[in-house]
Amino acid sequence: MRDMQRLADMQIDSKSELQKEKTLEEKLEILSDAAKYDVACTSSGMDRAGKKGYLGNSCASGVCHTFAADGRCVSLLKILMTNHCEYDCKYCKNRKSNDVERATFTPDEICRLTIEFYKRNYIEGLFLSSGVLKNPDYTMEKIIEALRMLRGTYKFNGYIHVKAIPGASKELIYSAGLLADRISINMELPTQDSLSKLAPNKLMANIIRPMNQISGTIAMHRLAIGKSARMERAGINDHLMNSIWGKEVNRIGTDATDRANRLLPGLQTDADAFLFPADKKDLNLGRAFAPAGQSTQMIIGATNETDLELIRTTQNLYKSFDLKRVFYSGYIPVNEDDALPEPGTPVPLLREHRLYQADWLLRYYGFFADELLSEEHPFFDDAIDPKCNWALNHLEQFPIEINTASYDMLLRVPGIGPNGVKKIVNARRYTKVDFEMLKQMRITLKRAQYFITCNGKMLYKIPLEHRFIRNRLIDVDSVEIADIGGQSVQYKQMNLFSDFNMSCTG
Amino acid sequence: MLTCIYEASASKRGHTNIKLVLEPIEQYSLLDQYIHVDADLKKAECVMKSIREKISPQVYRELAYASMAYEEEILDLIYRVLLVGFSYGADVLNMVMYREIMQFNQIRRRLGREVNHFQEFVRFHEVEKGLYVAHIEPKSRLVVALGPIFADRMPSEHFMIIDDIHKEALIHPKDEMYYLKPLNDSEYEQLLKTEEMNDTYTDLWKVFFESIAIRERANEKCQTNLFPLWTRKHAVEFKDNT
Ligand code: SF4
């Protein structure tokens, strides 16, 4: 009976959509608006040269084409295929129970938009997500249809990031991965409890299981073309004695269930990778499975996880599934609900920023989650960034001598980033490095001066005293935080990691 | 440029007494003597060869790339780098204890950023079916550097990038090698009009650009920082619809 009612509803739904006959412009407005909360980034670490007869290539460093009014970079045509949705996730604007304008792109419309935007140098590629249309399998099939057309008929060779719909069957996820460069499944919330509370139709197992299989399949494809099983990481990690990418996390030989259980205890997983023949059409393209890897996204501030839990989960995702990126998205109150923060609650941008900083420290600086926070202090300090905070708590290890310190220690000095370390190490092969040279190398001495000596001397005679240094560092940090009132993540991240030359957080 | 370097090193004036400048010279100093040098293919090739052999092909490529920079001291710096280079060899650009190497590297990096900037913010307009034209106003003469970038991106399209400042165009015919062409006034006049030719996709792009921003996170300051106003002139998303 209920099903009948649903069917009738749906018919009315599609009829009313037909009656209005939305233009491409209206659809684009609705479906890009609905997709804007998803974070994505093209800095894929993967280069793919262009091919005659095809359109597009892929740049490892990522290319931002413009900056939207919220200061976030725009590099992909970020759209939903449809914002119709059978699910009712509480935090989502497109949930079934909301009364919003709905629209659906045809595969051809998606292709034309991508191709034409790409040729005008507006974008680097396509980011395609979707609400659940009818059911996960049906949705996934529609997505694949669009991607096949784009790769096959339109000969598009640029970057594609596709969302896998949790609960879709393995064959379909496999096809999507063969067509796209990156595939991601949003974790949204780090525990089953939070998930049941806010996303009643979603199951943690349905998220972790495909994640595991995607990661296994990526590894298999990488081995088949003569690469290492694990994704390439920033070069700096090769020089570190210890980091989260270290030897012990080598995924070959470790047990699939074991790995999945680090994230969801008790989960039974079957195969470790997709082991069935692929659709001929997809195979003919000769592409590896998701060569730019897998990513995911978590919502920050909708439930009461601590920062420690979040970065531990992040670290586990990197270690177990070799994810390329974990993105955070500060919760934006779009719905009223008892289970959610009040509407009007400010977006936790500063918290999101601190988490990204910590994520950076895990991926590029050789830090581990448990070095940054502890059960006693499970949240990041608003006033001071995680790296400075760590240094302050380990003053006994400082000051270090620039001309002799190890890679690992240089990287742990506030104000010195991977590029700075490379410059220092390079220069000291030929000469003794002094403060003047550090300035030339654009090392942030405002931060670094308290922790280093050059040829045995500090820049100024300063006692290594916790409270004093902390106050000075807070001053430096507050300039960055204050002038934007805890706003832009990217802007500050650029400053903190200025020697990084990497502005993209999403 | 290479001829200048040849003349400078062949003359017996002593390196410290020579400064190479690009013409036109804006401010002549009274104490110095100016020697005009005309380009000479043979001499240039001679310098090219000795850089490649005595230093390294990579360094030659770096120097050639840097010569696009708008900074007027670049020619002199290249000359200084060479002087250091002939005694140190291929490692010359790592010798950061020399002021001139440091300065050279700084300009080289700045130029890299400028090229990068145009890679991101060039906007093409479809002038007629299948022909895409873009205009840029760079400080440096870098349109050549965009050639390999866009030829790889769209190997099978006809496109053209026009440098409005230096009046030259990079032309890429479908499936062929790109080339550089200086523009005369009438050609330039004609090409200027292409920027007004907008089509549906330009409008759709504006729609997308508006709706993708999250209102709760609005941050104009940050946007301006990342995409400075002076560079927005050719970016369609910041143009009014009028
Ligand atoms: S599945 Fe949940 S999060 Fe995704 S569109 Fe539907 S309601 Fe929103």
Side-chain angles (χ1 to χ4, degrees):
Chain A
M1 191 56 210
R2 244 225 240 113
D3 279 350
M4 293 278 283
Q5 180 64 41
R6 271 246 299 274
L7 212 66
D9 277 350
M10 239 155 62
Q11 269 159 3
I12 295 172
D13 236 43
S14 53
K15 236 190 249 153
S16 61
E17 205 176 292
L18 271 184
Q19 274 162 9
K20 271 179 254 148
E21 248 336 318
K22 287 204 176 63
T23 62
L24 186 55
E25 184 172 335
E26 284 165 332
K27 286 187 186 179
L28 181 64
E29 191 166 2
I30 295 171
L31 292 170
S32 59
D33 184 76
K36 68 186 174 191
Y37 302 107
D38 261 312
V39 193
C41 176
T42 47
S43 49
S44 55
M46 180 198 59
D47 270 316
R48 182 173 59 240
K51 256 194 292 193
K52 248 189 195 173
Y54 287 78
L55 176 71
N57 59 5
S58 167
C59 299
S61 51
V63 180
C64 300
H65 283 278
T66 188
F67 293 92
D70 51 13
R72 300 194 307 166
C73 91
V74 180
S75 54
L76 300 173
L77 169 62
K78 194 157 53 168
I79 46 174
L80 297 190
M81 182 185 71
T82 178
N83 65 341
H84 286 278
C85 193
E86 282 304 303
Y87 286 4
D88 205 38
C89 308
K90 297 225 160 74
Y91 48 79
C92 176
K93 202 170 144 194
N94 306 319
R95 63 182 187 181
K96 194 179 166 73
S97 53
N98 272 10
D99 179 25
V100 293
E101 281 255 31
R102 311 261 175 188
T104 306
F105 278 128
T106 65
D108 195 57
E109 285 169 336
I110 295 175
C111 294
R112 267 175 18 228
L113 279 174
T114 311
I115 293 286
E116 294 301 331
F117 280 8
Y118 193 90
K119 284 186 185 168
R120 287 161 176 73
N121 203 32
Y122 298 159
I123 54 168
E124 275 304 287
L126 170 69
F127 174 103
L128 188 59
S129 181
S130 182
V132 180
L133 191 63
K134 294 188 187 162
N135 57 53
D137 275 347
Y138 181 80
T139 317
M140 211 62 220
E141 261 166 35
K142 281 275 166 206
I143 290 179
I144 291 169
E145 193 186 328
L147 296 190
R148 266 194 200 132
M149 188 184 265
L150 191 55
R151 289 281 193 222
T153 319
Y154 285 87
K155 298 206 177 310
F156 181 67
N157 191 34
Y159 185 86
I160 299 180
H161 178 161
V162 69
K163 276 275 144 79
I165 307 294
S169 66
K170 290 186 255 174
E171 289 82 353
L172 294 172
I173 296 185
Y174 186 44
S175 270
L178 283 173
L179 292 161
D181 292 288
R182 175 171 290 176
I183 185 161
S184 62
I185 301 183
N186 277 2
M187 189 154 187
E188 309 290 17
L189 299 161
T191 60
Q192 177 65 58
D193 276 355
S194 307
L195 211 55
S196 333
K197 211 168 101 194
L198 294 187
N201 313 76
K202 289 185 183 166
L203 277 176
M204 199 57 149
N206 278 347
I207 295 170
I208 298 296
R209 208 176 279 136
M211 251 187 199
N212 195 10
Q213 285 168 332
I214 289 172
S215 117
T217 313
I218 292 175
M220 215 166 66
H221 276 245
R222 288 180 59 85
L223 287 172
I225 52 172
K227 292 186 175 175
S228 62
R230 296 184 68 85
M231 304 290 297
E232 290 82 12
R233 297 294 167 180
I236 194 84
N237 283 298
D238 300 341
H239 299 283
L240 297 179
M241 302 292 283
N242 212 352
S243 77
I244 61 166
W245 315 115
K247 288 191 204 72
E248 45 123 5
V249 291
N250 208 338
R251 69 167 282 135
I252 299 300
T254 48
D255 181 49
T257 316
D258 223 41
R259 230 173 300 118
N261 281 353
R262 262 195 248 171
L263 282 138
L264 188 61
L267 177 74
Q268 287 304 312
T269 48
D270 35 6
D272 185 5
F274 299 124
L275 294 171
F276 34 79
D279 190 296
K280 251 231 196 85
K281 274 183 251 127
D282 305 340
L283 266 195
N284 283 346
L285 292 169
R287 303 170 50 85
F289 182 86
Q294 176 177 203
S295 66
T296 192
Q297 172 178 329
M298 287 193 275
I299 301 174
I300 308 304
T303 45
N304 37 24
E305 275 82 25
T306 63
D307 290 349
L308 178 61
E309 283 172 90
L310 287 166
I311 59 167
R312 270 192 189 149
T313 307
T314 305
Q315 181 172 312
N316 275 335
L317 286 167
Y318 285 137
K319 285 176 117 177
S320 297
F321 300 148
D322 197 27
L323 288 199
K324 192 71 190 177
R325 285 294 306 267
V326 174
F327 292 107
Y328 307 105
S329 158
Y331 173 70
I332 296 165
V334 285
N335 296 327
E336 242 175 284
D337 200 299
D338 288 344
L340 287 171
E342 305 251 316
T345 310
V347 187
L349 291 171
L350 184 55
R351 187 170 175 211
E352 184 191 283
H353 172 53
R354 291 283 182 241
L355 282 164
Y356 271 123
Q357 288 180 318
D359 171 70
W360 238 261
L361 293 179
L362 297 184
R363 292 189 299 129
Y364 293 100
Y365 290 74
F367 281 92
F368 289 84
D370 284 21
E371 285 184 283
L372 299 173
L373 292 172
S374 60
E375 301 289 351
E376 296 82 58
H377 299 281
F379 286 97
F380 287 114
D381 197 327
D382 273 357
I384 197 160
D385 74 72
K387 193 181 179 192
C388 287
N389 199 31
W390 178 87
L392 278 174
N393 291 332
H394 294 82
L395 278 183
E396 72 287 350
Q397 303 189 23
F398 294 104
I400 59 158
E401 168 57 43
I402 284 288
N403 285 294
T404 55
S406 67
Y407 250 95
D408 296 63
M409 266 326 272
L410 282 175
L411 259 185
R412 291 186 172 224
V413 176
I416 303 185
N419 280 349
V421 173
K422 268 183 234 157
K423 283 187 215 157
I424 291 172
V425 174
N426 211 354
R428 71 186 190 189
R429 281 162 51 204
Y430 303 99
T431 181
K432 285 237 174 290
V433 175
D434 58 26
F435 281 105
E436 190 47 41
M437 278 188 212
L438 291 183
K439 248 183 237 161
Q440 294 275 359
M441 294 175 192
R442 298 177 184 235
I443 303 292
T444 324
L445 286 178
K446 271 189 295 186
R447 288 202 175 85
Q449 54 165 317
Y450 308 103
F451 304 98
I452 53 171
T453 59
C454 283
N455 307 307
K457 286 200 199 71
M458 290 187 77
L459 184 56
Y460 306 110
K461 272 220 159 65
I462 298 166
L464 270 180
E465 201 261 318
H466 186 286
R467 182 122 50 90
F468 173 75
I469 301 179
R470 183 181 153 88
N471 286 338
R472 301 296 287 271
L473 288 175
I474 288 179
D475 283 347
V476 179
D477 220 30
S478 63
V479 180
E480 287 170 7
I481 301 173
D483 70 354
I484 17 196
Q487 288 272 330
S488 158
V489 172
Q490 279 179 11
Y491 171 64
K492 283 182 297 164
Q493 200 154 10
M494 273 243 296
N495 276 341
L496 177 59
F497 301 113
S498 56
D499 43 5
F500 231 142
N501 212 357
M502 193 177 277
S503 64
C504 240
T505 61
Chain B
M1 262 185 173
L2 289 167
T3 320
C4 284
I5 292 171
Y6 178 89
E7 293 292 346
S9 51
S11 81
K12 302 261 152 32
R13 286 159 202 267
H15 301 316
T16 42
N17 299 327
I18 295 179
K19 188 172 175 209
L20 302 183
V21 284
L22 287 172
E23 294 174 347
I25 296 162
E26 278 166 14
Q27 223 178 3
Y28 286 86
S29 117
L30 287 177
L31 296 174
D32 299 332
Q33 182 194 354
Y34 290 91
I35 303 172
H36 173 81
V37 179
D38 281 317
D40 175 331
L41 197 62
K42 249 217 193 108
K43 290 175 184 169
E45 269 172 3
C46 172
V47 177
M48 206 188 307
K49 195 163 158 250
S50 62
I51 301 176
R52 283 202 178 124
E53 283 169 7
K54 295 195 188 124
I55 307 181
S56 81
Q58 284 87 341
V59 171
Y60 175 74
R61 225 177 304 139
E62 281 296 297
L63 295 177
Y65 195 90
S67 68
M68 295 186 299
Y70 72 86
E71 283 88 347
E72 30 178 82
E73 64 271 29
I74 189 66
L75 175 57
D76 196 49
L77 271 175
I78 290 179
Y79 180 54
R80 306 281 148 204
V81 171
L82 283 178
L83 292 182
V84 182
F86 285 125
S87 47
Y88 281 99
D91 260 353
V92 52
L93 294 178
N94 285 329
M95 302 295 160
V96 287
M97 57 280 202
Y98 290 96
R99 184 153 286 275
E100 50 266 43
I101 304 286
M102 201 68 134
Q103 280 172 350
F104 175 85
N105 284 343
Q106 261 165 18
I107 292 185
R108 172 65 185 79
R109 271 199 292 273
R110 189 208 52 76
L111 179 66
R113 280 196 298 273
E114 195 182 346
V115 171
N116 218 327
H117 175 89
F118 285 102
Q119 173 183 6
E120 299 178 341
F121 302 128
V122 164
R123 295 288 181 263
F124 288 96
H125 296 254
E126 187 170 30
V127 179
E128 39 185 279
K129 186 106 192 75
L131 172 62
Y132 297 85
V133 178
H135 286 261
I136 57 173
E137 294 184 26
K139 287 185 185 151
S140 307
R141 284 183 73 167
L142 49 64
V143 74
V144 185
L146 295 174
I149 297 174
F150 284 97
D152 189 53
R153 187 180 154 97
M154 325 199 274
S156 297
E157 308 306 322
H158 298 290
F159 67 84
M160 203 191 285
I161 304 174
I162 295 152
D163 179 342
D164 287 353
I165 304 286
H166 307 95
K167 301 258 182 344
E168 49 190 11
L170 181 97
I171 300 172
H172 177 274
K174 183 173 169 175
D175 291 330
E176 280 173 42
M177 194 56 197
Y178 57 87
Y179 57 93
L180 194 66
K181 183 179 187 314
L183 297 175
N184 62 34
D185 285 347
S186 71
E187 286 170 322
Y188 181 69
E189 283 297 308
Q190 231 179 353
L191 287 167
L192 255 188
K193 292 181 210 121
T194 59
E195 198 138 271
E196 267 97 66
M197 301 185 185
N198 287 345
D199 56 13
T200 35
Y201 288 98
T202 319
D203 297 335
L204 285 169
W205 170 243
K206 287 181 192 164
V207 169
F208 175 76
F209 179 72
E210 288 304 319
S211 73
I212 201 69
I214 299 177
R215 208 172 359 97
E216 288 87 342
R217 309 179 60 129
N219 191 335
E220 198 179 323
K221 186 158 179 182
C222 172
Q223 184 189 26
T224 316
N225 255 318
L226 292 166
F227 201 166
L229 295 173
W230 69 268
T231 60
R232 289 185 189 177
K233 197 169 155 205
H234 295 275
V236 283
E237 60 269 29
F238 292 105
K239 282 190 188 162
D240 286 337
N241 275 327
T242 47

